[in-house]
Amino acid sequence: MATGSRRHRHDTARLKHDAAQSTLAPTVSSQPRPAMSSHLLSVDSLSRDDVDHLMRVSALMEPIAQRRKVTRVLEGAVLGNLFFEASTRTRVSFHAAFSRLGGSVCDTTGFTFSSMAKGESLYDTSRVMSGYCDAIVLRHPEQGAVAEFARATKVPVINGGDGPGEHPSQALLDLYTIDKEFTRLGKSLAGAHILLTGDLKYGRTVHSLIKLLSLYEPMRITLVAPPGLEMPRHLIDLVSNRGHWVETRESLACDFSDLDVVYTTRIQKERFTAEMSESFGGLSRDFTVDRAFMDRYCGPDTIVMHPLPRDSRPEANDLDVDLNGDPRLAIFRQTDNGIPVRMAIFATLLKVDHLIERDLRDVPWFVPDTIGVDDLRD
Ligand code: NCD
């Protein structure tokens, strides 16, 4: 059952965030801003200023994402949404985000129904798609394939995940979620303790996230991965060299204290070599985030995140469903944040970010108070 004070706290937090009061988000200029890189391929291309700007624009998009306002700043623009790997939320949220800016979307899913099945190169596909679309999102199973595709076009290309490489839009929405949750909880990113756990070797979301976090004030990052699935050394070195305190633990059956964020990921079995698949006996419960772990090591103000999908097969031992309904479980607030953040990415790359505020109109259709079950209230 919801408590009045919890409801009040949540509403206040939402209002605060709408008014861009968070630590990362002051105001957005009404003048065009010098563009960041024309593509979003890796977090490497983002400066701290670029990220702060994207967080501010994301906060501006909240009334649209929450279906209180509409805008048509991308009216007439067409997005090519090309997914050559499985996806639900990334594909649909990029589609919804572009549509909510007034643009329309063409998409293709899987190799079977694209000309790549006939041997077409990334170069040719890129040249062809750029003739049809004003922006392109590409997900591809090979690391580096999205960058190769982007080299053949001047149309903005967004990396929707390239094999075990990167997933920059996910990291941006993860950072936005952390900031929004911290604003609600009265916490700050500086000095925060963040646990990243699960498949840190092949999980592209954590590769992008750790780089993004490293742009901020020093924090404490604890890494926990099963043997053979550890975070790549060069990423640990990068964040350590930027002044963060990085610590590695063998399993979740250790003593943890002061955790602010528990970010867990799915084992990416589809990326295992044949040899690894044979030797991997399944994920032990020692790597599962569940209610017992949260109650033992975390207080009421620790949030649990996961890029999703969580593998619900019992032997997967992924993030446990026994946390469903627990207000600390931020995973569905996290997925909701995919819309404003992806809208901000499009608006910034297509240079209409400065037009948003003056283009807002009220939504004319019926919108329920909350879209789904609200874990902070119900
Ligand atoms: C992730 C991905 O595809 O990298 N999902 C997502 O985009 N939200 C994580 C995963 O597949 O485990």
PDB file of all heavy atoms in Angstrom, residues 83 85-91 139 160-161 163 166-167 169-170 173 202-205 263 265-268 270-271 306-310 318 335 342, ligand 1:
ATOM      1  N   PHE A  83      17.827  -3.225 -36.888  1.00  0.00           N
ATOM      2  CA  PHE A  83      18.226  -4.113 -35.789  1.00  0.00           C
ATOM      3  C   PHE A  83      18.562  -5.495 -36.318  1.00  0.00           C
ATOM      4  O   PHE A  83      17.672  -6.223 -36.735  1.00  0.00           O
ATOM      5  CB  PHE A  83      17.133  -4.150 -34.711  1.00  0.00           C
ATOM      6  CG  PHE A  83      17.262  -2.998 -33.754  1.00  0.00           C
ATOM      7  CD1 PHE A  83      16.956  -1.703 -34.145  1.00  0.00           C
ATOM      8  CD2 PHE A  83      17.747  -3.201 -32.476  1.00  0.00           C
ATOM      9  CE1 PHE A  83      17.121  -0.634 -33.283  1.00  0.00           C
ATOM     10  CE2 PHE A  83      17.916  -2.138 -31.602  1.00  0.00           C
ATOM     11  CZ  PHE A  83      17.604  -0.853 -32.004  1.00  0.00           C
ATOM     12  N   GLU A  85      20.070  -7.744 -34.439  1.00  0.00           N
ATOM     13  CA  GLU A  85      20.167  -8.605 -33.251  1.00  0.00           C
ATOM     14  C   GLU A  85      18.873  -8.427 -32.482  1.00  0.00           C
ATOM     15  O   GLU A  85      18.201  -7.403 -32.626  1.00  0.00           O
ATOM     16  CB  GLU A  85      21.292  -8.105 -32.321  1.00  0.00           C
ATOM     17  CG  GLU A  85      22.577  -8.838 -32.429  1.00  0.00           C
ATOM     18  CD  GLU A  85      23.489  -8.531 -31.241  1.00  0.00           C
ATOM     19  OE1 GLU A  85      23.319  -7.520 -30.561  1.00  0.00           O
ATOM     20  OE2 GLU A  85      24.395  -9.336 -31.031  1.00  0.00           O
ATOM     21  N   ALA A  86      18.572  -9.409 -31.617  1.00  0.00           N
ATOM     22  CA  ALA A  86      17.330  -9.368 -30.836  1.00  0.00           C
ATOM     23  C   ALA A  86      17.222  -8.079 -30.028  1.00  0.00           C
ATOM     24  O   ALA A  86      18.216  -7.565 -29.522  1.00  0.00           O
ATOM     25  CB  ALA A  86      17.308 -10.560 -29.888  1.00  0.00           C
ATOM     26  N   SER A  87      16.021  -7.559 -29.956  1.00  0.00           N
ATOM     27  CA  SER A  87      15.786  -6.349 -29.163  1.00  0.00           C
ATOM     28  C   SER A  87      14.295  -6.169 -28.952  1.00  0.00           C
ATOM     29  O   SER A  87      13.513  -6.436 -29.863  1.00  0.00           O
ATOM     30  CB  SER A  87      16.338  -5.122 -29.890  1.00  0.00           C
ATOM     31  OG  SER A  87      15.991  -3.945 -29.199  1.00  0.00           O
ATOM     32  N   THR A  88      13.899  -5.709 -27.791  1.00  0.00           N
ATOM     33  CA  THR A  88      12.524  -5.251 -27.589  1.00  0.00           C
ATOM     34  C   THR A  88      12.575  -3.774 -27.228  1.00  0.00           C
ATOM     35  O   THR A  88      12.162  -2.907 -27.996  1.00  0.00           O
ATOM     36  CB  THR A  88      11.813  -6.044 -26.456  1.00  0.00           C
ATOM     37  OG1 THR A  88      11.839  -7.417 -26.814  1.00  0.00           O
ATOM     38  CG2 THR A  88      10.376  -5.583 -26.283  1.00  0.00           C
ATOM     39  N   ARG A  89      13.163  -3.472 -26.027  1.00  0.00           N
ATOM     40  CA  ARG A  89      13.049  -2.085 -25.538  1.00  0.00           C
ATOM     41  C   ARG A  89      13.877  -1.092 -26.327  1.00  0.00           C
ATOM     42  O   ARG A  89      13.427   0.031 -26.556  1.00  0.00           O
ATOM     43  CB  ARG A  89      13.266  -1.994 -24.022  1.00  0.00           C
ATOM     44  CG  ARG A  89      14.618  -2.145 -23.474  1.00  0.00           C
ATOM     45  CD  ARG A  89      14.661  -3.011 -22.243  1.00  0.00           C
ATOM     46  NE  ARG A  89      14.661  -4.397 -22.644  1.00  0.00           N
ATOM     47  CZ  ARG A  89      13.761  -5.287 -22.252  1.00  0.00           C
ATOM     48  NH1 ARG A  89      12.833  -4.951 -21.412  1.00  0.00           N
ATOM     49  NH2 ARG A  89      13.826  -6.520 -22.690  1.00  0.00           N
ATOM     50  N   THR A  90      15.071  -1.460 -26.737  1.00  0.00           N
ATOM     51  CA  THR A  90      15.894  -0.465 -27.432  1.00  0.00           C
ATOM     52  C   THR A  90      15.241  -0.108 -28.766  1.00  0.00           C
ATOM     53  O   THR A  90      15.085   1.074 -29.097  1.00  0.00           O
ATOM     54  CB  THR A  90      17.326  -1.013 -27.644  1.00  0.00           C
ATOM     55  OG1 THR A  90      17.839  -1.422 -26.374  1.00  0.00           O
ATOM     56  CG2 THR A  90      18.240   0.034 -28.245  1.00  0.00           C
ATOM     57  N   ARG A  91      14.811  -1.137 -29.509  1.00  0.00           N
ATOM     58  CA  ARG A  91      14.212  -0.887 -30.823  1.00  0.00           C
ATOM     59  C   ARG A  91      12.913  -0.087 -30.681  1.00  0.00           C
ATOM     60  O   ARG A  91      12.717   0.933 -31.340  1.00  0.00           O
ATOM     61  CB  ARG A  91      13.946  -2.222 -31.528  1.00  0.00           C
ATOM     62  CG  ARG A  91      13.405  -2.102 -32.928  1.00  0.00           C
ATOM     63  CD  ARG A  91      13.444  -3.457 -33.627  1.00  0.00           C
ATOM     64  NE  ARG A  91      12.733  -4.485 -32.904  1.00  0.00           N
ATOM     65  CZ  ARG A  91      11.405  -4.703 -32.991  1.00  0.00           C
ATOM     66  NH1 ARG A  91      10.681  -3.963 -33.791  1.00  0.00           N
ATOM     67  NH2 ARG A  91      10.845  -5.659 -32.301  1.00  0.00           N
ATOM     68  N   ARG A 139      21.793  -1.708 -34.729  1.00  0.00           N
ATOM     69  CA  ARG A 139      22.291  -2.732 -33.796  1.00  0.00           C
ATOM     70  C   ARG A 139      22.835  -3.863 -34.641  1.00  0.00           C
ATOM     71  O   ARG A 139      22.181  -4.317 -35.600  1.00  0.00           O
ATOM     72  CB  ARG A 139      21.189  -3.235 -32.873  1.00  0.00           C
ATOM     73  CG  ARG A 139      21.625  -4.432 -32.060  1.00  0.00           C
ATOM     74  CD  ARG A 139      20.634  -4.818 -30.993  1.00  0.00           C
ATOM     75  NE  ARG A 139      20.688  -3.902 -29.864  1.00  0.00           N
ATOM     76  CZ  ARG A 139      20.058  -4.104 -28.706  1.00  0.00           C
ATOM     77  NH1 ARG A 139      19.334  -5.192 -28.530  1.00  0.00           N
ATOM     78  NH2 ARG A 139      20.146  -3.238 -27.717  1.00  0.00           N
ATOM     79  N   GLY A 160      23.128   1.278 -31.541  1.00  0.00           N
ATOM     80  CA  GLY A 160      22.115   0.634 -30.687  1.00  0.00           C
ATOM     81  C   GLY A 160      22.652  -0.643 -30.061  1.00  0.00           C
ATOM     82  O   GLY A 160      21.866  -1.449 -29.545  1.00  0.00           O
ATOM     83  N   GLY A 161      23.983  -0.813 -30.092  1.00  0.00           N
ATOM     84  CA  GLY A 161      24.629  -2.008 -29.536  1.00  0.00           C
ATOM     85  C   GLY A 161      25.401  -2.714 -30.628  1.00  0.00           C
ATOM     86  O   GLY A 161      24.814  -3.161 -31.606  1.00  0.00           O
ATOM     87  N   GLY A 163      27.665  -5.816 -30.885  1.00  0.00           N
ATOM     88  CA  GLY A 163      28.256  -7.005 -30.255  1.00  0.00           C
ATOM     89  C   GLY A 163      28.589  -6.717 -28.803  1.00  0.00           C
ATOM     90  O   GLY A 163      27.811  -6.063 -28.100  1.00  0.00           O
ATOM     91  N   GLU A 166      29.809  -1.565 -27.384  1.00  0.00           N
ATOM     92  CA  GLU A 166      29.217  -0.481 -26.590  1.00  0.00           C
ATOM     93  C   GLU A 166      27.728  -0.352 -26.818  1.00  0.00           C
ATOM     94  O   GLU A 166      27.182  -0.870 -27.810  1.00  0.00           O
ATOM     95  CB  GLU A 166      29.903   0.835 -26.945  1.00  0.00           C
ATOM     96  CG  GLU A 166      31.184   1.047 -26.160  1.00  0.00           C
ATOM     97  CD  GLU A 166      31.427   2.515 -25.875  1.00  0.00           C
ATOM     98  OE1 GLU A 166      30.481   3.233 -25.475  1.00  0.00           O
ATOM     99  OE2 GLU A 166      32.582   2.929 -26.080  1.00  0.00           O
ATOM    100  N   HIS A 167      27.096   0.393 -25.944  1.00  0.00           N
ATOM    101  CA  HIS A 167      25.661   0.666 -26.034  1.00  0.00           C
ATOM    102  C   HIS A 167      25.453   2.057 -25.410  1.00  0.00           C
ATOM    103  O   HIS A 167      24.927   2.188 -24.304  1.00  0.00           O
ATOM    104  CB  HIS A 167      24.906  -0.417 -25.259  1.00  0.00           C
ATOM    105  CG  HIS A 167      23.445  -0.515 -25.552  1.00  0.00           C
ATOM    106  ND1 HIS A 167      22.726   0.491 -26.177  1.00  0.00           N
ATOM    107  CD2 HIS A 167      22.549  -1.500 -25.281  1.00  0.00           C
ATOM    108  CE1 HIS A 167      21.464   0.110 -26.281  1.00  0.00           C
ATOM    109  NE2 HIS A 167      21.339  -1.089 -25.749  1.00  0.00           N
ATOM    110  N   SER A 169      23.553   4.735 -25.817  1.00  0.00           N
ATOM    111  CA  SER A 169      22.262   5.321 -25.415  1.00  0.00           C
ATOM    112  C   SER A 169      21.757   4.671 -24.128  1.00  0.00           C
ATOM    113  O   SER A 169      21.108   5.317 -23.304  1.00  0.00           O
ATOM    114  CB  SER A 169      21.218   5.198 -26.527  1.00  0.00           C
ATOM    115  OG  SER A 169      20.836   3.853 -26.720  1.00  0.00           O
ATOM    116  N   GLN A 170      22.071   3.392 -23.932  1.00  0.00           N
ATOM    117  CA  GLN A 170      21.680   2.712 -22.689  1.00  0.00           C
ATOM    118  C   GLN A 170      22.434   3.341 -21.510  1.00  0.00           C
ATOM    119  O   GLN A 170      21.849   3.590 -20.453  1.00  0.00           O
ATOM    120  CB  GLN A 170      21.987   1.214 -22.782  1.00  0.00           C
ATOM    121  CG  GLN A 170      21.656   0.428 -21.525  1.00  0.00           C
ATOM    122  CD  GLN A 170      20.148   0.285 -21.255  1.00  0.00           C
ATOM    123  OE1 GLN A 170      19.385   0.025 -22.177  1.00  0.00           O
ATOM    124  NE2 GLN A 170      19.736   0.451 -20.002  1.00  0.00           N
ATOM    125  N   LEU A 173      20.870   6.589 -20.577  1.00  0.00           N
ATOM    126  CA  LEU A 173      19.613   6.465 -19.826  1.00  0.00           C
ATOM    127  C   LEU A 173      19.879   5.893 -18.441  1.00  0.00           C
ATOM    128  O   LEU A 173      19.151   6.196 -17.478  1.00  0.00           O
ATOM    129  CB  LEU A 173      18.567   5.672 -20.620  1.00  0.00           C
ATOM    130  CG  LEU A 173      18.582   4.153 -20.690  1.00  0.00           C
ATOM    131  CD1 LEU A 173      17.822   3.527 -19.537  1.00  0.00           C
ATOM    132  CD2 LEU A 173      17.941   3.707 -21.996  1.00  0.00           C
ATOM    133  N   TYR A 202      31.175  -9.407 -21.640  1.00  0.00           N
ATOM    134  CA  TYR A 202      30.424  -9.262 -22.888  1.00  0.00           C
ATOM    135  C   TYR A 202      29.272  -8.260 -22.775  1.00  0.00           C
ATOM    136  O   TYR A 202      28.645  -7.929 -23.790  1.00  0.00           O
ATOM    137  CB  TYR A 202      29.853 -10.622 -23.307  1.00  0.00           C
ATOM    138  CG  TYR A 202      30.919 -11.638 -23.679  1.00  0.00           C
ATOM    139  CD1 TYR A 202      31.122 -12.768 -22.908  1.00  0.00           C
ATOM    140  CD2 TYR A 202      31.730 -11.438 -24.797  1.00  0.00           C
ATOM    141  CE1 TYR A 202      32.096 -13.702 -23.244  1.00  0.00           C
ATOM    142  CE2 TYR A 202      32.707 -12.369 -25.137  1.00  0.00           C
ATOM    143  CZ  TYR A 202      32.886 -13.492 -24.358  1.00  0.00           C
ATOM    144  OH  TYR A 202      33.851 -14.406 -24.696  1.00  0.00           O
ATOM    145  N   GLY A 203      28.956  -7.825 -21.578  1.00  0.00           N
ATOM    146  CA  GLY A 203      27.836  -6.891 -21.397  1.00  0.00           C
ATOM    147  C   GLY A 203      28.239  -5.500 -21.871  1.00  0.00           C
ATOM    148  O   GLY A 203      28.977  -4.783 -21.203  1.00  0.00           O
ATOM    149  N   ARG A 204      27.742  -5.116 -23.024  1.00  0.00           N
ATOM    150  CA  ARG A 204      28.155  -3.812 -23.605  1.00  0.00           C
ATOM    151  C   ARG A 204      27.607  -2.631 -22.815  1.00  0.00           C
ATOM    152  O   ARG A 204      28.169  -1.548 -22.831  1.00  0.00           O
ATOM    153  CB  ARG A 204      27.711  -3.754 -25.065  1.00  0.00           C
ATOM    154  CG  ARG A 204      26.216  -4.002 -25.255  1.00  0.00           C
ATOM    155  CD  ARG A 204      25.895  -4.320 -26.695  1.00  0.00           C
ATOM    156  NE  ARG A 204      24.520  -4.765 -26.875  1.00  0.00           N
ATOM    157  CZ  ARG A 204      24.082  -5.392 -27.946  1.00  0.00           C
ATOM    158  NH1 ARG A 204      24.910  -5.696 -28.921  1.00  0.00           N
ATOM    159  NH2 ARG A 204      22.822  -5.741 -28.061  1.00  0.00           N
ATOM    160  N   THR A 205      26.486  -2.848 -22.092  1.00  0.00           N
ATOM    161  CA  THR A 205      25.921  -1.702 -21.360  1.00  0.00           C
ATOM    162  C   THR A 205      26.874  -1.239 -20.261  1.00  0.00           C
ATOM    163  O   THR A 205      27.039  -0.044 -20.050  1.00  0.00           O
ATOM    164  CB  THR A 205      24.539  -2.030 -20.745  1.00  0.00           C
ATOM    165  OG1 THR A 205      24.694  -2.943 -19.672  1.00  0.00           O
ATOM    166  CG2 THR A 205      23.580  -2.612 -21.769  1.00  0.00           C
ATOM    167  N   TYR A 263      23.877  -2.539  -9.917  1.00  0.00           N
ATOM    168  CA  TYR A 263      23.562  -2.639 -11.354  1.00  0.00           C
ATOM    169  C   TYR A 263      23.957  -4.041 -11.797  1.00  0.00           C
ATOM    170  O   TYR A 263      25.134  -4.402 -11.807  1.00  0.00           O
ATOM    171  CB  TYR A 263      24.352  -1.583 -12.128  1.00  0.00           C
ATOM    172  CG  TYR A 263      23.986  -1.448 -13.597  1.00  0.00           C
ATOM    173  CD1 TYR A 263      23.273  -0.351 -14.064  1.00  0.00           C
ATOM    174  CD2 TYR A 263      24.372  -2.410 -14.532  1.00  0.00           C
ATOM    175  CE1 TYR A 263      22.941  -0.208 -15.414  1.00  0.00           C
ATOM    176  CE2 TYR A 263      24.034  -2.289 -15.877  1.00  0.00           C
ATOM    177  CZ  TYR A 263      23.336  -1.182 -16.304  1.00  0.00           C
ATOM    178  OH  TYR A 263      23.009  -1.042 -17.647  1.00  0.00           O
ATOM    179  N   THR A 265      23.579  -7.489 -14.527  1.00  0.00           N
ATOM    180  CA  THR A 265      23.395  -7.751 -15.962  1.00  0.00           C
ATOM    181  C   THR A 265      23.219  -9.245 -16.234  1.00  0.00           C
ATOM    182  O   THR A 265      23.611 -10.081 -15.429  1.00  0.00           O
ATOM    183  CB  THR A 265      24.627  -7.271 -16.769  1.00  0.00           C
ATOM    184  OG1 THR A 265      25.765  -8.017 -16.323  1.00  0.00           O
ATOM    185  CG2 THR A 265      24.902  -5.794 -16.591  1.00  0.00           C
ATOM    186  N   ARG A 266      22.656  -9.504 -17.389  1.00  0.00           N
ATOM    187  CA  ARG A 266      22.399 -10.879 -17.836  1.00  0.00           C
ATOM    188  C   ARG A 266      23.703 -11.504 -18.365  1.00  0.00           C
ATOM    189  O   ARG A 266      24.548 -10.790 -18.933  1.00  0.00           O
ATOM    190  CB  ARG A 266      21.368 -10.789 -18.991  1.00  0.00           C
ATOM    191  CG  ARG A 266      20.936 -12.060 -19.634  1.00  0.00           C
ATOM    192  CD  ARG A 266      19.905 -11.751 -20.730  1.00  0.00           C
ATOM    193  NE  ARG A 266      20.499 -11.019 -21.851  1.00  0.00           N
ATOM    194  CZ  ARG A 266      21.103 -11.572 -22.899  1.00  0.00           C
ATOM    195  NH1 ARG A 266      21.194 -12.884 -22.994  1.00  0.00           N
ATOM    196  NH2 ARG A 266      21.607 -10.817 -23.864  1.00  0.00           N
ATOM    197  N   ILE A 267      23.849 -12.816 -18.186  1.00  0.00           N
ATOM    198  CA  ILE A 267      24.987 -13.509 -18.799  1.00  0.00           C
ATOM    199  C   ILE A 267      24.715 -13.593 -20.304  1.00  0.00           C
ATOM    200  O   ILE A 267      23.676 -14.097 -20.729  1.00  0.00           O
ATOM    201  CB  ILE A 267      25.162 -14.922 -18.192  1.00  0.00           C
ATOM    202  CG1 ILE A 267      25.363 -14.843 -16.666  1.00  0.00           C
ATOM    203  CG2 ILE A 267      26.326 -15.670 -18.863  1.00  0.00           C
ATOM    204  CD1 ILE A 267      26.577 -14.062 -16.203  1.00  0.00           C
ATOM    205  N   GLN A 268      25.661 -13.084 -21.109  1.00  0.00           N
ATOM    206  CA  GLN A 268      25.463 -12.966 -22.555  1.00  0.00           C
ATOM    207  C   GLN A 268      25.927 -14.247 -23.255  1.00  0.00           C
ATOM    208  O   GLN A 268      26.912 -14.231 -24.009  1.00  0.00           O
ATOM    209  CB  GLN A 268      26.253 -11.758 -23.097  1.00  0.00           C
ATOM    210  CG  GLN A 268      26.127 -10.487 -22.263  1.00  0.00           C
ATOM    211  CD  GLN A 268      24.930  -9.652 -22.645  1.00  0.00           C
ATOM    212  OE1 GLN A 268      24.808  -9.226 -23.784  1.00  0.00           O
ATOM    213  NE2 GLN A 268      24.053  -9.406 -21.689  1.00  0.00           N
ATOM    214  N   GLU A 270      24.968 -15.842 -25.689  1.00  0.00           N
ATOM    215  CA  GLU A 270      25.000 -15.821 -27.155  1.00  0.00           C
ATOM    216  C   GLU A 270      26.347 -15.350 -27.693  1.00  0.00           C
ATOM    217  O   GLU A 270      26.637 -15.510 -28.866  1.00  0.00           O
ATOM    218  CB  GLU A 270      23.850 -14.964 -27.706  1.00  0.00           C
ATOM    219  CG  GLU A 270      23.917 -13.459 -27.457  1.00  0.00           C
ATOM    220  CD  GLU A 270      23.341 -13.001 -26.102  1.00  0.00           C
ATOM    221  OE1 GLU A 270      23.377 -13.787 -25.143  1.00  0.00           O
ATOM    222  OE2 GLU A 270      22.899 -11.848 -26.010  1.00  0.00           O
ATOM    223  N   ARG A 271      27.169 -14.746 -26.811  1.00  0.00           N
ATOM    224  CA  ARG A 271      28.478 -14.268 -27.274  1.00  0.00           C
ATOM    225  C   ARG A 271      29.612 -15.221 -26.875  1.00  0.00           C
ATOM    226  O   ARG A 271      30.773 -14.963 -27.169  1.00  0.00           O
ATOM    227  CB  ARG A 271      28.774 -12.875 -26.701  1.00  0.00           C
ATOM    228  CG  ARG A 271      27.653 -11.896 -26.941  1.00  0.00           C
ATOM    229  CD  ARG A 271      28.087 -10.462 -26.970  1.00  0.00           C
ATOM    230  NE  ARG A 271      26.918  -9.606 -27.008  1.00  0.00           N
ATOM    231  CZ  ARG A 271      26.157  -9.405 -28.073  1.00  0.00           C
ATOM    232  NH1 ARG A 271      26.481  -9.961 -29.224  1.00  0.00           N
ATOM    233  NH2 ARG A 271      25.104  -8.625 -28.020  1.00  0.00           N
ATOM    234  N   HIS A 306      19.084  -2.763 -13.942  1.00  0.00           N
ATOM    235  CA  HIS A 306      19.413  -3.866 -14.861  1.00  0.00           C
ATOM    236  C   HIS A 306      19.023  -3.325 -16.238  1.00  0.00           C
ATOM    237  O   HIS A 306      17.942  -2.749 -16.381  1.00  0.00           O
ATOM    238  CB  HIS A 306      18.576  -5.099 -14.472  1.00  0.00           C
ATOM    239  CG  HIS A 306      18.943  -6.386 -15.174  1.00  0.00           C
ATOM    240  ND1 HIS A 306      18.982  -6.507 -16.549  1.00  0.00           N
ATOM    241  CD2 HIS A 306      19.260  -7.613 -14.683  1.00  0.00           C
ATOM    242  CE1 HIS A 306      19.324  -7.754 -16.873  1.00  0.00           C
ATOM    243  NE2 HIS A 306      19.510  -8.445 -15.759  1.00  0.00           N
ATOM    244  N   PRO A 307      19.863  -3.519 -17.260  1.00  0.00           N
ATOM    245  CA  PRO A 307      19.484  -2.968 -18.569  1.00  0.00           C
ATOM    246  C   PRO A 307      18.299  -3.716 -19.176  1.00  0.00           C
ATOM    247  O   PRO A 307      17.638  -3.210 -20.081  1.00  0.00           O
ATOM    248  CB  PRO A 307      20.739  -3.152 -19.421  1.00  0.00           C
ATOM    249  CG  PRO A 307      21.499  -4.264 -18.756  1.00  0.00           C
ATOM    250  CD  PRO A 307      21.186  -4.163 -17.290  1.00  0.00           C
ATOM    251  N   LEU A 308      18.037  -4.931 -18.656  1.00  0.00           N
ATOM    252  CA  LEU A 308      16.998  -5.829 -19.166  1.00  0.00           C
ATOM    253  C   LEU A 308      17.336  -6.233 -20.612  1.00  0.00           C
ATOM    254  O   LEU A 308      18.051  -5.513 -21.280  1.00  0.00           O
ATOM    255  CB  LEU A 308      15.615  -5.197 -19.065  1.00  0.00           C
ATOM    256  CG  LEU A 308      15.156  -4.775 -17.650  1.00  0.00           C
ATOM    257  CD1 LEU A 308      13.706  -4.295 -17.724  1.00  0.00           C
ATOM    258  CD2 LEU A 308      15.262  -5.930 -16.665  1.00  0.00           C
ATOM    259  N   PRO A 309      16.883  -7.357 -21.112  1.00  0.00           N
ATOM    260  CA  PRO A 309      15.963  -8.275 -20.464  1.00  0.00           C
ATOM    261  C   PRO A 309      16.638  -9.055 -19.331  1.00  0.00           C
ATOM    262  O   PRO A 309      17.840  -9.342 -19.402  1.00  0.00           O
ATOM    263  CB  PRO A 309      15.585  -9.230 -21.594  1.00  0.00           C
ATOM    264  CG  PRO A 309      16.774  -9.226 -22.505  1.00  0.00           C
ATOM    265  CD  PRO A 309      17.330  -7.850 -22.432  1.00  0.00           C
ATOM    266  N   ARG A 310      15.835  -9.396 -18.281  1.00  0.00           N
ATOM    267  CA  ARG A 310      16.386 -10.340 -17.294  1.00  0.00           C
ATOM    268  C   ARG A 310      15.929 -11.719 -17.733  1.00  0.00           C
ATOM    269  O   ARG A 310      14.788 -11.902 -18.181  1.00  0.00           O
ATOM    270  CB  ARG A 310      15.997 -10.009 -15.860  1.00  0.00           C
ATOM    271  CG  ARG A 310      14.547 -10.009 -15.514  1.00  0.00           C
ATOM    272  CD  ARG A 310      14.308  -9.705 -14.023  1.00  0.00           C
ATOM    273  NE  ARG A 310      13.015  -9.076 -13.863  1.00  0.00           N
ATOM    274  CZ  ARG A 310      12.414  -8.863 -12.719  1.00  0.00           C
ATOM    275  NH1 ARG A 310      13.015  -9.202 -11.600  1.00  0.00           N
ATOM    276  NH2 ARG A 310      11.231  -8.283 -12.651  1.00  0.00           N
ATOM    277  N   ASP A 318      19.446 -14.927 -12.843  1.00  0.00           N
ATOM    278  CA  ASP A 318      19.520 -13.486 -13.106  1.00  0.00           C
ATOM    279  C   ASP A 318      18.805 -12.756 -11.965  1.00  0.00           C
ATOM    280  O   ASP A 318      18.289 -13.398 -11.037  1.00  0.00           O
ATOM    281  CB  ASP A 318      18.839 -13.215 -14.468  1.00  0.00           C
ATOM    282  CG  ASP A 318      19.317 -11.925 -15.120  1.00  0.00           C
ATOM    283  OD1 ASP A 318      19.860 -11.059 -14.407  1.00  0.00           O
ATOM    284  OD2 ASP A 318      19.133 -11.781 -16.345  1.00  0.00           O
ATOM    285  N   THR A 335      13.610   1.704 -17.630  1.00  0.00           N
ATOM    286  CA  THR A 335      13.168   1.528 -19.025  1.00  0.00           C
ATOM    287  C   THR A 335      12.330   2.728 -19.472  1.00  0.00           C
ATOM    288  O   THR A 335      12.443   3.173 -20.600  1.00  0.00           O
ATOM    289  CB  THR A 335      12.362   0.230 -19.247  1.00  0.00           C
ATOM    290  OG1 THR A 335      11.331   0.128 -18.267  1.00  0.00           O
ATOM    291  CG2 THR A 335      13.234  -0.986 -19.198  1.00  0.00           C
ATOM    292  N   ARG A 342      16.333   9.061 -25.248  1.00  0.00           N
ATOM    293  CA  ARG A 342      16.517   8.837 -26.701  1.00  0.00           C
ATOM    294  C   ARG A 342      15.941  10.008 -27.491  1.00  0.00           C
ATOM    295  O   ARG A 342      16.459  10.372 -28.554  1.00  0.00           O
ATOM    296  CB  ARG A 342      15.924   7.488 -27.091  1.00  0.00           C
ATOM    297  CG  ARG A 342      16.790   6.387 -26.495  1.00  0.00           C
ATOM    298  CD  ARG A 342      16.458   4.996 -26.898  1.00  0.00           C
ATOM    299  NE  ARG A 342      17.575   4.138 -26.528  1.00  0.00           N
ATOM    300  CZ  ARG A 342      17.504   3.113 -25.662  1.00  0.00           C
ATOM    301  NH1 ARG A 342      16.358   2.775 -25.104  1.00  0.00           N
ATOM    302  NH2 ARG A 342      18.583   2.407 -25.384  1.00  0.00           N
TER     303      ARG A 342
HETATM  304  C1  NCD B   1      21.057  -5.068 -23.376  1.00  0.00           C
HETATM  305  C2  NCD B   1      21.745  -5.231 -24.725  1.00  0.00           C
HETATM  306  O1  NCD B   1      21.118  -5.557 -25.732  1.00  0.00           O
HETATM  307  O2  NCD B   1      22.929  -4.979 -24.703  1.00  0.00           O
HETATM  308  N1  NCD B   1      19.706  -4.810 -23.488  1.00  0.00           N
HETATM  309  C3  NCD B   1      19.278  -3.547 -23.816  1.00  0.00           C
HETATM  310  O3  NCD B   1      19.573  -3.030 -24.857  1.00  0.00           O
HETATM  311  N2  NCD B   1      18.537  -2.899 -22.917  1.00  0.00           N
HETATM  312  C4  NCD B   1      21.422  -6.109 -22.387  1.00  0.00           C
HETATM  313  C5  NCD B   1      21.245  -7.567 -22.700  1.00  0.00           C
HETATM  314  O4  NCD B   1      20.904  -7.977 -23.788  1.00  0.00           O
HETATM  315  O5  NCD B   1      21.463  -8.350 -21.770  1.00  0.00           O
END
